[in-house]
Amino acid sequence: MFDLHRLRLLRELKHRGTLAAVASALSYCPSSISQQLSLLESEAGVPLLERVGRGVRLTPQAEVLVAHTEAVLEQLEQAEADIASSLSELTGTLRIASFQTAALALMPTALALLYDAHPGLRIQVTQMEREAALSALLAHDVDLVIDVEYPGDPSPCHAELEQEFLGDDSMHLVYPGVTNATKVQEALRMLADHPWVMEPDGTAARRWAMTVCRGAGFEPDVRYESADLLLHLRLVEQGHAAALLPDLVWLGRRPTIPLRPVPFGQKTRTLVTAVRRGSSRHPAIQTGRQALLTAVDKHSETTLRRPPSELSQ
C-alpha cells in the first residue's frame, strides 16, 4: 500500500521540477522531502529518481506512479465536490488566477456577484500570465484560471485540465494617426516604420502580433516590451507607439483612441476558464464560472460577447 502523502510529494516534484521548489511550496526542508521520497522508493521497490547534474529527474517507473496518483487525486477532488454539494451553505476558499485585463474588466463584477450570493465563500485572486497560471493550477496552487488563446496558438492541452468557453475578444490596431477613413490593410502597412509596443518575446500575444505584421509585409520595430496592456495603451495615447489591443482593455468605457480592425483574418482571441479534472462539479468552481459568464453578459453592450450557441447551453 502506497502512502498518499509521499505520492503527492512525487507528483509535486514532477510539476515543480526541483526538490527545493517542492520544499518551498509546501513549507518543508529539502532533506525532509528527499527522505520521504526515499521511503516511497522502498514501498515501490524500484528507483524513482535519478541524478542529473545537481538535480534529479523522475524515472519511467516514477512517471507511471505519478499518472496513477493524478487519477487518485482526481477522484478525491470529485469526492470533495460531492461533499460540498451536499451542504446548504457554500463556504471555503476559491483561488482564481487571471491575466491582467480580465482581472481588471471582469473580476470586480464577478466578485460582487459572488459575495452577494455567498457571503461565506472566501475569494482569492492572483494576477498571473497564462503559462504561470496553468502551472499553478496543475500544482494545486489555484483552483480556477482565466486563460486566453490567440488565433493559431491554443493553450497547451493538459489531460488533467478542463476548459470552458468564456467569451470572444476582438483585437484592434491602435494608433492616433490611423483614422476610420484609412482602408483596413493600408492602416497596418502605413505603420511599418513606426515604433511598436508588444508583449514580451515568447508569449502567445507576441507570436500572434508578429504574424499579423509579417502578413502585411513588414517586420515591426518593437521598441517597447511589456505584459502590461495599460502601459501599451498609454504609449499609444501619447503617440509613442502603435499596438494591437483587445476590446477587453476598454470593457465598460469608451475607447480613447480610434480603433481599426485587424486585417487578414484571425483577429479574435478567445477567453476560457480552466480547472482541474475532478473539480469542475465543485459548487465553488461552478459558482465562480457562472459569475464570470454573468460579468461578460453584463458588459454585452461592448463587443465582448458570447456566441448564441453558448448562451443557449
Side-chain angles (χ1 to χ4, degrees):
M1 183 69 68
F2 294 113
D3 181 90
L4 182 56
H5 172 65
R6 293 169 190 150
L7 290 173
R8 284 179 181 267
L9 293 179
L10 185 65
R11 178 194 178 278
E12 290 288 330
L13 181 58
K14 174 179 173 60
H15 287 291
R16 298 187 189 275
T18 66
L19 291 171
V22 175
S24 176
L26 302 181
S27 299
Y28 286 107
C29 63
S31 60
S32 177
I33 301 291
S34 181
Q35 182 182 29
Q36 291 296 312
L37 292 177
S38 294
L39 290 173
L40 183 60
E41 280 190 328
S42 298
E43 292 175 351
V46 294
L48 299 178
L49 303 177
E50 55 187 12
R51 288 285 176 185
V52 179
R54 295 184 178 180
V56 295
R57 69 183 175 195
L58 274 63
T59 64
Q61 293 73 34
E63 294 284 357
V64 171
L65 200 52
V66 167
H68 285 284
T69 301
E70 297 282 9
V72 170
L73 293 178
E74 181 179 334
Q75 287 293 320
L76 290 175
E77 287 207 281
Q78 289 178 359
E80 183 181 349
D82 290 342
I83 290 173
S85 298
S86 71
L87 301 175
S88 59
E89 183 178 354
L90 186 56
T91 59
T93 300
L94 176 62
R95 301 166 299 171
I96 301 174
S98 173
F99 60 98
Q100 183 200 41
T101 46
L104 284 170
L106 301 179
M107 283 312 307
T109 298
L111 287 173
L113 292 167
L114 288 168
Y115 285 134
D116 183 58
H118 305 284
L121 182 64
R122 186 171 187 264
I123 314 295
Q124 293 180 351
V125 180
T126 304
Q127 181 183 318
M128 290 186 187
E129 296 307 310
R130 65 189 305 220
E131 292 83 1
L134 292 177
S135 295
L137 183 60
L138 288 167
H140 287 241
D141 290 337
V142 299
D143 305 307
L144 186 152
V145 167
I146 305 175
D147 193 15
V148 60
E149 297 182 352
Y150 281 81
D153 199 330
S155 295
C157 183
H158 296 285
E160 302 94 335
L161 302 182
E162 295 179 355
Q163 287 188 341
E164 184 176 279
F165 181 85
L166 181 59
D168 283 325
D169 193 14
S170 295
M171 303 293 293
H172 297 278
L173 172 66
V174 289
Y175 187 74
V178 178
T179 67
N180 290 333
T182 310
K183 292 183 179 180
V184 172
Q185 294 189 11
E186 291 177 359
L188 183 58
R189 294 192 183 104
M190 69 182 287
L191 295 173
D193 297 325
H194 283 263
W196 283 76
V197 57
M198 291 185 181
E199 295 199 38
D201 198 17
T203 61
R206 177 65 168 269
R207 290 190 293 269
W208 172 80
M210 295 296 290
T211 298
V212 169
C213 291
R214 288 167 180 167
F218 69 93
E219 191 74 12
D221 179 10
V222 183
R223 298 189 193 179
Y224 315 106
E225 290 188 2
S226 175
D228 186 345
L229 295 192
L230 296 183
L231 174 59
H232 290 213
L233 177 59
R234 189 62 179 270
L235 290 173
V236 172
E237 289 174 334
Q238 298 295 319
H240 297 302
L244 294 162
L245 291 177
D247 278 328
L248 207 59
V249 170
W250 292 282
L251 196 60
R253 57 194 178 92
R254 288 182 175 276
T256 54
I257 47 181
L259 308 183
R260 299 293 291 135
V262 175
F264 313 116
Q266 292 196 328
K267 54 191 177 183
T268 299
R269 64 180 192 171
T270 302
L271 308 180
V272 299
T273 55
V275 301
R276 290 182 301 276
R277 289 193 181 277
S279 70
S280 59
R281 294 201 320 238
H282 196 290
I285 297 289
Q286 293 178 334
T287 300
R289 279 178 152 173
Q290 184 55 53
L292 289 166
L293 287 170
T294 302
V296 170
D297 286 342
K298 185 178 177 65
H299 298 287
S300 60
E301 68 274 10
T302 70
T303 54
L304 181 66
R305 298 177 185 271
R306 284 186 286 146
S309 60
E310 293 291 337
L311 290 170
S312 63
Q313 293 181 2

mmCIF file of all heavy atoms in Angstrom, residues 207-237:
data_model
loop_
_atom_site.group_PDB
_atom_site.id
_atom_site.type_symbol
_atom_site.label_atom_id
_atom_site.label_comp_id
_atom_site.label_asym_id
_atom_site.label_seq_id
_atom_site.Cartn_x
_atom_site.Cartn_y
_atom_site.Cartn_z
ATOM 1 N N ARG A 207 3.708 36.286 -30.482
ATOM 2 C CA ARG A 207 3.765 35.480 -31.699
ATOM 3 C C ARG A 207 2.655 35.874 -32.666
ATOM 4 O O ARG A 207 2.870 35.985 -33.886
ATOM 5 C CB ARG A 207 3.675 33.994 -31.347
ATOM 6 C CG ARG A 207 4.888 33.434 -30.644
ATOM 7 C CD ARG A 207 4.835 31.914 -30.557
ATOM 8 N NE ARG A 207 3.774 31.450 -29.686
ATOM 9 C CZ ARG A 207 3.925 31.223 -28.377
ATOM 10 N NH1 ARG A 207 5.080 31.452 -27.793
ATOM 11 N NH2 ARG A 207 2.922 30.766 -27.657
ATOM 12 N N TRP A 208 1.440 36.079 -32.118
ATOM 13 C CA TRP A 208 0.306 36.455 -32.961
ATOM 14 C C TRP A 208 0.535 37.816 -33.609
ATOM 15 O O TRP A 208 0.303 38.005 -34.811
ATOM 16 C CB TRP A 208 -0.972 36.471 -32.137
ATOM 17 C CG TRP A 208 -2.148 37.025 -32.874
ATOM 18 C CD1 TRP A 208 -2.933 36.372 -33.780
ATOM 19 C CD2 TRP A 208 -2.643 38.360 -32.813
ATOM 20 N NE1 TRP A 208 -3.905 37.215 -34.271
ATOM 21 C CE2 TRP A 208 -3.745 38.441 -33.694
ATOM 22 C CE3 TRP A 208 -2.262 39.494 -32.083
ATOM 23 C CZ2 TRP A 208 -4.463 39.614 -33.871
ATOM 24 C CZ3 TRP A 208 -2.971 40.667 -32.259
ATOM 25 C CH2 TRP A 208 -4.075 40.718 -33.151
ATOM 26 N N ALA A 209 0.988 38.803 -32.820
ATOM 27 C CA ALA A 209 1.196 40.157 -33.340
ATOM 28 C C ALA A 209 2.269 40.174 -34.431
ATOM 29 O O ALA A 209 2.121 40.870 -35.449
ATOM 30 C CB ALA A 209 1.582 41.099 -32.198
ATOM 31 N N MET A 210 3.332 39.411 -34.240
ATOM 32 C CA MET A 210 4.382 39.346 -35.255
ATOM 33 C C MET A 210 3.843 38.726 -36.540
ATOM 34 O O MET A 210 4.172 39.174 -37.649
ATOM 35 C CB MET A 210 5.561 38.534 -34.722
ATOM 36 C CG MET A 210 6.288 39.164 -33.542
ATOM 37 S SD MET A 210 7.082 40.742 -33.931
ATOM 38 C CE MET A 210 8.413 40.198 -35.003
ATOM 39 N N THR A 211 2.989 37.709 -36.415
ATOM 40 C CA THR A 211 2.392 37.079 -37.591
ATOM 41 C C THR A 211 1.524 38.060 -38.362
ATOM 42 O O THR A 211 1.548 38.097 -39.600
ATOM 43 C CB THR A 211 1.550 35.861 -37.163
ATOM 44 O OG1 THR A 211 2.395 34.899 -36.528
ATOM 45 C CG2 THR A 211 0.879 35.214 -38.364
ATOM 46 N N VAL A 212 0.754 38.885 -37.636
ATOM 47 C CA VAL A 212 -0.098 39.882 -38.287
ATOM 48 C C VAL A 212 0.749 40.883 -39.072
ATOM 49 O O VAL A 212 0.453 41.192 -40.236
ATOM 50 C CB VAL A 212 -0.964 40.608 -37.241
ATOM 51 C CG1 VAL A 212 -1.659 41.821 -37.865
ATOM 52 C CG2 VAL A 212 -2.006 39.664 -36.657
ATOM 53 N N CYS A 213 1.808 41.382 -38.452
ATOM 54 C CA CYS A 213 2.650 42.381 -39.128
ATOM 55 C C CYS A 213 3.376 41.766 -40.331
ATOM 56 O O CYS A 213 3.452 42.389 -41.400
ATOM 57 C CB CYS A 213 3.654 42.966 -38.141
ATOM 58 S SG CYS A 213 2.918 43.999 -36.860
ATOM 59 N N ARG A 214 3.881 40.582 -40.155
ATOM 60 C CA ARG A 214 4.584 39.941 -41.267
ATOM 61 C C ARG A 214 3.627 39.615 -42.403
ATOM 62 O O ARG A 214 4.009 39.630 -43.575
ATOM 63 C CB ARG A 214 5.285 38.677 -40.772
ATOM 64 C CG ARG A 214 6.508 38.984 -39.902
ATOM 65 C CD ARG A 214 7.015 37.774 -39.168
ATOM 66 N NE ARG A 214 8.182 38.091 -38.355
ATOM 67 C CZ ARG A 214 8.686 37.296 -37.417
ATOM 68 N NH1 ARG A 214 8.103 36.112 -37.187
ATOM 69 N NH2 ARG A 214 9.744 37.663 -36.719
ATOM 70 N N GLY A 215 2.363 39.325 -42.052
ATOM 71 C CA GLY A 215 1.364 39.112 -43.091
ATOM 72 C C GLY A 215 1.113 40.350 -43.914
ATOM 73 O O GLY A 215 0.682 40.266 -45.071
ATOM 74 N N ALA A 216 1.385 41.523 -43.331
ATOM 75 C CA ALA A 216 1.240 42.793 -44.055
ATOM 76 C C ALA A 216 2.513 43.152 -44.806
ATOM 77 O O ALA A 216 2.563 44.195 -45.477
ATOM 78 C CB ALA A 216 0.879 43.905 -43.080
ATOM 79 N N GLY A 217 3.554 42.325 -44.678
ATOM 80 C CA GLY A 217 4.762 42.526 -45.466
ATOM 81 C C GLY A 217 5.863 43.315 -44.794
ATOM 82 O O GLY A 217 6.761 43.821 -45.470
ATOM 83 N N PHE A 218 5.845 43.417 -43.449
ATOM 84 C CA PHE A 218 6.936 44.151 -42.792
ATOM 85 C C PHE A 218 7.270 43.522 -41.441
ATOM 86 O O PHE A 218 6.468 42.807 -40.849
ATOM 87 C CB PHE A 218 6.579 45.624 -42.609
ATOM 88 C CG PHE A 218 5.490 45.890 -41.592
ATOM 89 C CD1 PHE A 218 5.809 46.173 -40.260
ATOM 90 C CD2 PHE A 218 4.147 45.860 -41.957
ATOM 91 C CE1 PHE A 218 4.809 46.412 -39.326
ATOM 92 C CE2 PHE A 218 3.138 46.099 -41.026
ATOM 93 C CZ PHE A 218 3.472 46.381 -39.714
ATOM 94 N N GLU A 219 8.496 43.802 -40.993
ATOM 95 C CA GLU A 219 8.966 43.373 -39.682
ATOM 96 C C GLU A 219 8.827 44.569 -38.736
ATOM 97 O O GLU A 219 9.457 45.603 -38.933
ATOM 98 C CB GLU A 219 10.432 42.926 -39.749
ATOM 99 C CG GLU A 219 10.947 42.217 -38.518
ATOM 100 C CD GLU A 219 10.418 40.795 -38.390
ATOM 101 O OE1 GLU A 219 9.834 40.274 -39.364
ATOM 102 O OE2 GLU A 219 10.605 40.203 -37.308
ATOM 103 N N PRO A 220 7.988 44.471 -37.706
ATOM 104 C CA PRO A 220 7.745 45.628 -36.841
ATOM 105 C C PRO A 220 8.981 46.016 -36.023
ATOM 106 O O PRO A 220 9.764 45.161 -35.616
ATOM 107 C CB PRO A 220 6.615 45.152 -35.928
ATOM 108 C CG PRO A 220 6.775 43.665 -35.889
ATOM 109 C CD PRO A 220 7.244 43.279 -37.264
ATOM 110 N N ASP A 221 9.126 47.304 -35.813
ATOM 111 C CA ASP A 221 10.192 47.851 -34.968
ATOM 112 C C ASP A 221 9.683 47.867 -33.526
ATOM 113 O O ASP A 221 9.079 48.841 -33.076
ATOM 114 C CB ASP A 221 10.550 49.266 -35.442
ATOM 115 C CG ASP A 221 11.632 49.917 -34.586
ATOM 116 O OD1 ASP A 221 12.245 49.217 -33.753
ATOM 117 O OD2 ASP A 221 11.849 51.137 -34.734
ATOM 118 N N VAL A 222 9.912 46.777 -32.806
ATOM 119 C CA VAL A 222 9.398 46.651 -31.439
ATOM 120 C C VAL A 222 10.388 47.305 -30.477
ATOM 121 O O VAL A 222 11.402 46.711 -30.111
ATOM 122 C CB VAL A 222 9.164 45.171 -31.067
ATOM 123 C CG1 VAL A 222 8.550 45.078 -29.667
ATOM 124 C CG2 VAL A 222 8.272 44.497 -32.097
ATOM 125 N N ARG A 223 10.077 48.521 -30.067
ATOM 126 C CA ARG A 223 10.965 49.245 -29.162
ATOM 127 C C ARG A 223 10.570 49.098 -27.699
ATOM 128 O O ARG A 223 11.371 49.335 -26.805
ATOM 129 C CB ARG A 223 10.976 50.731 -29.515
ATOM 130 C CG ARG A 223 11.507 51.024 -30.913
ATOM 131 C CD ARG A 223 11.708 52.501 -31.116
ATOM 132 N NE ARG A 223 11.908 52.827 -32.521
ATOM 133 C CZ ARG A 223 12.095 54.063 -32.983
ATOM 134 N NH1 ARG A 223 12.091 55.080 -32.112
ATOM 135 N NH2 ARG A 223 12.265 54.287 -34.269
ATOM 136 N N TYR A 224 9.306 48.717 -27.468
ATOM 137 C CA TYR A 224 8.820 48.633 -26.086
ATOM 138 C C TYR A 224 8.183 47.270 -25.864
ATOM 139 O O TYR A 224 7.384 46.801 -26.666
ATOM 140 C CB TYR A 224 7.789 49.739 -25.813
ATOM 141 C CG TYR A 224 8.221 51.092 -26.332
ATOM 142 C CD1 TYR A 224 7.638 51.637 -27.480
ATOM 143 C CD2 TYR A 224 9.228 51.811 -25.706
ATOM 144 C CE1 TYR A 224 8.039 52.866 -27.970
ATOM 145 C CE2 TYR A 224 9.640 53.050 -26.189
ATOM 146 C CZ TYR A 224 9.041 53.567 -27.321
ATOM 147 O OH TYR A 224 9.443 54.784 -27.810
ATOM 148 N N GLU A 225 8.550 46.646 -24.765
ATOM 149 C CA GLU A 225 8.011 45.330 -24.408
ATOM 150 C C GLU A 225 7.439 45.382 -23.000
ATOM 151 O O GLU A 225 8.094 45.853 -22.078
ATOM 152 C CB GLU A 225 9.100 44.253 -24.455
ATOM 153 C CG GLU A 225 9.599 43.913 -25.843
ATOM 154 C CD GLU A 225 10.534 42.702 -25.821
ATOM 155 O OE1 GLU A 225 10.735 42.130 -24.725
ATOM 156 O OE2 GLU A 225 11.052 42.334 -26.876
ATOM 157 N N SER A 226 6.229 44.884 -22.842
ATOM 158 C CA SER A 226 5.616 44.813 -21.514
ATOM 159 C C SER A 226 4.404 43.894 -21.569
ATOM 160 O O SER A 226 3.683 43.865 -22.568
ATOM 161 C CB SER A 226 5.189 46.202 -21.033
ATOM 162 O OG SER A 226 4.490 46.113 -19.804
ATOM 163 N N ALA A 227 4.162 43.167 -20.474
ATOM 164 C CA ALA A 227 2.940 42.371 -20.347
ATOM 165 C C ALA A 227 1.780 43.234 -19.871
ATOM 166 O O ALA A 227 0.641 42.763 -19.824
ATOM 167 C CB ALA A 227 3.169 41.221 -19.372
ATOM 168 N N ASP A 228 2.030 44.487 -19.530
ATOM 169 C CA ASP A 228 1.017 45.415 -19.023
ATOM 170 C C ASP A 228 0.345 46.129 -20.198
ATOM 171 O O ASP A 228 0.928 47.046 -20.785
ATOM 172 C CB ASP A 228 1.676 46.423 -18.086
ATOM 173 C CG ASP A 228 0.677 47.338 -17.403
ATOM 174 O OD1 ASP A 228 -0.484 47.395 -17.854
ATOM 175 O OD2 ASP A 228 1.060 48.011 -16.428
ATOM 176 N N LEU A 229 -0.883 45.723 -20.533
ATOM 177 C CA LEU A 229 -1.562 46.336 -21.675
ATOM 178 C C LEU A 229 -2.005 47.763 -21.390
ATOM 179 O O LEU A 229 -2.239 48.536 -22.328
ATOM 180 C CB LEU A 229 -2.761 45.480 -22.094
ATOM 181 C CG LEU A 229 -2.440 44.088 -22.627
ATOM 182 C CD1 LEU A 229 -3.669 43.460 -23.271
ATOM 183 C CD2 LEU A 229 -1.280 44.111 -23.612
ATOM 184 N N LEU A 230 -2.112 48.143 -20.140
ATOM 185 C CA LEU A 230 -2.416 49.541 -19.826
ATOM 186 C C LEU A 230 -1.225 50.431 -20.177
ATOM 187 O O LEU A 230 -1.412 51.589 -20.575
ATOM 188 C CB LEU A 230 -2.785 49.687 -18.349
ATOM 189 C CG LEU A 230 -4.061 48.955 -17.917
ATOM 190 C CD1 LEU A 230 -4.350 49.238 -16.448
ATOM 191 C CD2 LEU A 230 -5.250 49.351 -18.788
ATOM 192 N N LEU A 231 -0.022 49.901 -20.033
ATOM 193 C CA LEU A 231 1.157 50.644 -20.497
ATOM 194 C C LEU A 231 1.137 50.756 -22.014
ATOM 195 O O LEU A 231 1.454 51.818 -22.567
ATOM 196 C CB LEU A 231 2.434 49.952 -20.027
ATOM 197 C CG LEU A 231 3.748 50.545 -20.559
ATOM 198 C CD1 LEU A 231 3.891 52.012 -20.153
ATOM 199 C CD2 LEU A 231 4.947 49.737 -20.072
ATOM 200 N N HIS A 232 0.758 49.683 -22.698
ATOM 201 C CA HIS A 232 0.624 49.736 -24.160
ATOM 202 C C HIS A 232 -0.309 50.888 -24.542
ATOM 203 O O HIS A 232 0.001 51.703 -25.415
ATOM 204 C CB HIS A 232 0.031 48.425 -24.700
ATOM 205 C CG HIS A 232 0.947 47.246 -24.604
ATOM 206 N ND1 HIS A 232 0.947 46.230 -25.535
ATOM 207 C CD2 HIS A 232 1.867 46.905 -23.682
ATOM 208 C CE1 HIS A 232 1.837 45.311 -25.193
ATOM 209 N NE2 HIS A 232 2.390 45.700 -24.058
ATOM 210 N N LEU A 233 -1.459 50.929 -23.881
ATOM 211 C CA LEU A 233 -2.461 51.939 -24.200
ATOM 212 C C LEU A 233 -1.919 53.344 -23.966
ATOM 213 O O LEU A 233 -2.125 54.235 -24.790
ATOM 214 C CB LEU A 233 -3.718 51.704 -23.351
ATOM 215 C CG LEU A 233 -4.849 52.715 -23.508
ATOM 216 C CD1 LEU A 233 -5.334 52.766 -24.955
ATOM 217 C CD2 LEU A 233 -6.006 52.357 -22.577
ATOM 218 N N ARG A 234 -1.227 53.521 -22.857
ATOM 219 C CA ARG A 234 -0.697 54.853 -22.549
ATOM 220 C C ARG A 234 0.336 55.290 -23.587
ATOM 221 O O ARG A 234 0.351 56.455 -24.013
ATOM 222 C CB ARG A 234 -0.076 54.841 -21.148
ATOM 223 C CG ARG A 234 0.321 56.234 -20.644
ATOM 224 C CD ARG A 234 -0.897 57.136 -20.539
ATOM 225 N NE ARG A 234 -0.557 58.456 -20.051
ATOM 226 C CZ ARG A 234 -0.540 58.797 -18.760
ATOM 227 N NH1 ARG A 234 -0.849 57.886 -17.835
ATOM 228 N NH2 ARG A 234 -0.221 60.013 -18.383
ATOM 229 N N LEU A 235 1.199 54.370 -24.011
ATOM 230 C CA LEU A 235 2.194 54.704 -25.033
ATOM 231 C C LEU A 235 1.529 55.068 -26.353
ATOM 232 O O LEU A 235 1.978 55.975 -27.064
ATOM 233 C CB LEU A 235 3.153 53.530 -25.227
ATOM 234 C CG LEU A 235 4.130 53.247 -24.076
ATOM 235 C CD1 LEU A 235 4.897 51.964 -24.326
ATOM 236 C CD2 LEU A 235 5.106 54.409 -23.897
ATOM 237 N N VAL A 236 0.449 54.377 -26.698
ATOM 238 C CA VAL A 236 -0.282 54.692 -27.923
ATOM 239 C C VAL A 236 -0.960 56.051 -27.793
ATOM 240 O O VAL A 236 -0.890 56.885 -28.714
ATOM 241 C CB VAL A 236 -1.318 53.594 -28.228
ATOM 242 C CG1 VAL A 236 -2.211 54.012 -29.396
ATOM 243 C CG2 VAL A 236 -0.631 52.270 -28.545
ATOM 244 N N GLU A 237 -1.616 56.301 -26.671
ATOM 245 C CA GLU A 237 -2.316 57.580 -26.467
ATOM 246 C C GLU A 237 -1.368 58.764 -26.579
ATOM 247 O O GLU A 237 -1.754 59.833 -27.077
ATOM 248 C CB GLU A 237 -2.985 57.593 -25.090
ATOM 249 C CG GLU A 237 -4.188 56.672 -24.987
ATOM 250 C CD GLU A 237 -4.724 56.599 -23.569
ATOM 251 O OE1 GLU A 237 -3.952 56.831 -22.609
ATOM 252 O OE2 GLU A 237 -5.921 56.291 -23.409
#
